[in-house]
Amino acid sequence: LGVLHALASSPATAADALTLLHELQVLQVELDLQALELRESRVELESALRRQIALYDFQPAGCFTLDANRVLHELNQTGADLLGLARADALGLPLDAFICADSVHRLRSALSDLGAGAGTVSCRLTLRPKAGPERSVLAQVAADPAGPGYLANLMEAAEGQAPVVR
């Protein structure tokens, strides 16, 4: 504003001051419009995110994000229910704590197969939830495209149902 005032004070530069003022006003309007568009985009994105979170929690399968040590970093509500814990209580725990010893070996083998280039690997696991009886689940695991860990889906298995291997 000081520069604008100095320009406007002199008759020789008053026209320049008006031109500069007009350019600043146009830029301000453009910035205001961009800010409005950004706010509207943010509202739309937040709404879409809430919907995706609701869909994630509504899945009939337990969805998990695991690190290389099979520690739980993310899970949906169905996954927490399968483990017999609140979601917050399950985070940071190893998935191994919720499956039988022979299933731990099958899960490790499936993860090794992923390291050998398989896209998705399936296996049957025996789940030992913190609350409730043991149950047989079909596990599908894949490399996490967003990082070095894994994505795992666990779905209760009907007797005689064979895992699908891809």
Side-chain angles (χ1 to χ4, degrees):
L1 287 176
V3 171
L4 191 59
H5 184 311
L7 287 173
S9 301
S10 168
T13 57
D16 292 338
L18 289 175
T19 301
L20 182 59
L21 178 61
H22 175 72
E23 288 177 16
L24 288 173
Q25 289 172 331
V26 168
L27 288 173
Q28 183 62 50
V29 168
E30 288 176 1
L31 286 173
D32 290 344
L33 288 173
Q34 289 175 357
L36 178 63
E37 288 177 17
L38 285 172
R39 283 191 296 275
E40 290 171 353
S41 292
R42 181 179 177 151
V43 167
E44 289 175 21
L45 285 171
E46 287 174 348
S47 176
L49 177 61
R50 281 190 301 276
R51 175 152 170 73
Q52 290 302 313
I53 290 170
L55 288 171
Y56 179 67
D57 277 340
F58 190 67
Q59 293 299 308
C63 301
F64 305 89
T65 303
L66 312 169
D67 66 17
N69 296 317
R70 297 166 311 284
V71 172
L72 299 167
H73 289 274
E74 295 175 316
L75 67 157
N76 67 352
Q77 188 57 52
T78 305
D81 293 343
L82 281 173
L83 300 180
L85 289 175
R87 187 187 327 214
D89 295 337
L91 294 174
L93 297 176
L95 184 58
D96 297 4
F98 300 96
I99 56 179
C100 294
D102 61 327
S103 292
V104 170
H105 296 296
R106 281 195 293 275
L107 179 59
R108 288 180 181 172
S109 176
L111 296 178
S112 292
D113 290 346
L114 287 174
T120 301
V121 179
S122 299
C123 61
R124 184 181 299 274
L125 303 175
T126 303
L127 194 63
R128 285 187 328 211
K130 289 296 179 188
E134 288 185 356
R135 55 179 75 167
S136 180
V137 295
L138 290 178
Q140 279 196 313
V141 292
D144 185 349
Y150 304 97
L151 302 177
N153 290 319
L154 302 182
M155 183 172 263
E156 289 200 61
E159 284 304 314
Q161 183 178 5
V164 177
V165 179
R166 295 184 189 167

